[in-house]
Amino acid sequence: MNKCIELANLAAAKGEVPVGAIIVDSQDQIISESYNLRETGKMATAHAELLAIEQACKKLSRWRLQDCTLYVTLEPCFMCAGAIILARIPRVVFATQDPKAGAVGSLTNILNDDRLNHKCEIVSGICAEESSNILKSFFKNRRKK
Amino acid sequence: MNKCIELANLAAAKGEVPVGAIIVDSQDQIISESYNLRETGKMATAHAELLAIEQACKKLSRWRLQDCTLYVTLEPCFMCAGAIILARIPRVVFATQDPKAGAVGSLTNILNDDRLNHKCEIVSGICAEESSNILKSFFKNRRKK
């Protein structure tokens, strides 16, 4: 998660909402790493998790990431949680909750929905305060401008 | 929607689950068109709608598609409906429902959720039978193989 926090700080330095994500394989080797690039990339879908999933599929030349774990500093939104299901990622670790848009416990939890064809193990709260403080500090500074 | 059905047929010809999507601007000009490419692209996120949104953002050089309408042959899943919200698309027209994974009326409707910061006008049922038959025929043929 420390690596994700580094990535979130890189996002903040670019004026992007600071969220960082990595995907690791079953040997804990990093397969992909990314951070939010919505403004820089002028791309609605450029959330850290979605970019990490796309990079991992490219790197591994397959759409099933059934042996991977995704780490991210913020609770995934509906798009990213939906992508986690589509990629069959079995384990997601996130730091802090997103009460406004989080789809993994805040608004609902689509990673633990019996109606869908995939479920995830979810771990949350690791480095939560640090990840949350990076976001709070970013929005505080942005309001000043 | 006829254009989307043409695109869905192109997907089927490649052995992809046949779903087609287009995005048009306020003058009904096509901005982007795409179809499902999960297998060919070895990409978990390569649903027709997500590809159409990404292409439209690239073409228009902006992440807000607030003047666009998305047409698609199948009810969007959580990932795609989430991407529609993130791109601020105000109007979505889909043909047939997806009772197993649809996030726009079947399992839930996240495009009409007061807790989120964007809502969509939704039109459904146009060319529903044709779009549904293309999918049924695809899965029937696949089971035979």
Side-chain angles (χ1 to χ4, degrees):
Chain A
M1 192 59 82
N2 287 327
K3 180 69 186 164
C4 292
I5 289 172
E6 276 176 37
L7 291 161
N9 281 322
L10 289 178
K14 287 197 174 197
E16 299 279 357
V17 174
V19 181
I22 61 168
I23 290 177
V24 303
D25 65 13
S26 54
Q27 276 79 47
D28 269 343
Q29 293 296 305
I30 293 178
I31 304 295
S32 65
E33 51 183 74
S34 64
Y35 49 89
N36 175 39
L37 279 170
R38 184 176 71 171
E39 304 296 337
T40 316
K42 297 175 182 174
M43 182 57 67
T45 60
H47 278 188
E49 304 95 305
L50 200 87
L51 295 173
I53 290 170
E54 290 183 349
Q55 282 170 32
C57 290
K58 273 185 199 156
K59 193 157 175 185
L60 300 174
S61 288
R62 53 180 159 90
W63 63 262
R64 284 184 189 87
L65 306 177
Q66 77 283 356
D67 50 351
C68 293
T69 297
L70 183 142
Y71 291 83
V72 58
T73 55
L74 182 65
E75 182 185 348
C77 72
F78 277 109
M79 177 187 72
C80 293
I84 288 163
I85 292 167
L86 293 171
R88 311 284 191 265
I89 295 174
R91 191 161 176 263
V92 171
V93 182
F94 71 85
T96 191
Q97 292 180 317
D98 182 355
K100 288 188 183 169
V104 188
S106 289
L107 299 184
T108 181
N109 185 352
I110 68 166
L111 299 188
N112 191 14
D113 187 324
D114 287 328
R115 300 171 302 172
L116 295 170
N117 65 351
H118 180 73
K119 283 184 171 189
C120 264
E121 182 194 341
I122 302 156
V123 179
S124 65
I126 293 167
C127 301
E129 199 174 337
E130 196 172 352
S131 297
S132 173
N133 285 342
I134 293 170
L135 284 158
K136 281 179 190 161
S137 164
F138 174 81
F139 287 113
K140 195 175 167 187
N141 287 335
R142 201 160 72 166
R143 277 193 296 272
K144 280 185 195 161
K145 284 179 186 168
Chain B
M1 192 59 81
N2 287 327
K3 181 68 186 166
C4 291
I5 289 173
E6 277 176 36
L7 291 161
N9 280 322
L10 290 178
K14 287 198 175 196
E16 298 279 359
V17 173
V19 181
I22 61 168
I23 289 176
V24 303
D25 66 13
S26 54
Q27 276 79 48
D28 270 343
Q29 295 295 305
I30 293 178
I31 304 296
S32 64
E33 50 183 75
S34 64
Y35 50 89
N36 175 37
L37 279 170
R38 185 177 70 171
E39 303 296 337
T40 316
K42 296 175 182 173
M43 182 56 69
T45 60
H47 278 189
E49 306 94 304
L50 200 87
L51 295 174
I53 290 170
E54 290 182 350
Q55 282 170 32
C57 290
K58 273 185 199 158
K59 194 157 173 184
L60 300 172
S61 289
R62 53 181 159 88
W63 63 262
R64 284 184 189 86
L65 305 177
Q66 77 283 356
D67 50 351
C68 293
T69 297
L70 183 142
Y71 291 83
V72 59
T73 55
L74 183 65
E75 181 185 349
C77 71
F78 278 109
M79 177 188 72
C80 293
I84 288 163
I85 291 167
L86 293 171
R88 311 285 191 264
I89 294 175
R91 190 162 177 264
V92 171
V93 183
F94 71 85
T96 192
Q97 292 180 317
D98 182 354
K100 287 187 183 169
V104 187
S106 289
L107 299 184
T108 182
N109 186 351
I110 69 166
L111 299 188
N112 192 15
D113 188 323
D114 287 328
R115 300 171 301 174
L116 295 171
N117 66 352
H118 180 73
K119 282 184 170 192
C120 264
E121 182 194 343
I122 301 155
V123 180
S124 64
I126 293 168
C127 302
E129 200 174 338
E130 196 172 353
S131 297
S132 173
N133 285 342
I134 293 169
L135 284 158
K136 281 180 191 162
S137 165
F138 174 81
F139 286 113
K140 196 175 165 188
N141 287 335
R142 200 159 73 165
R143 278 194 295 271
K144 280 184 195 162
K145 285 177 186 169

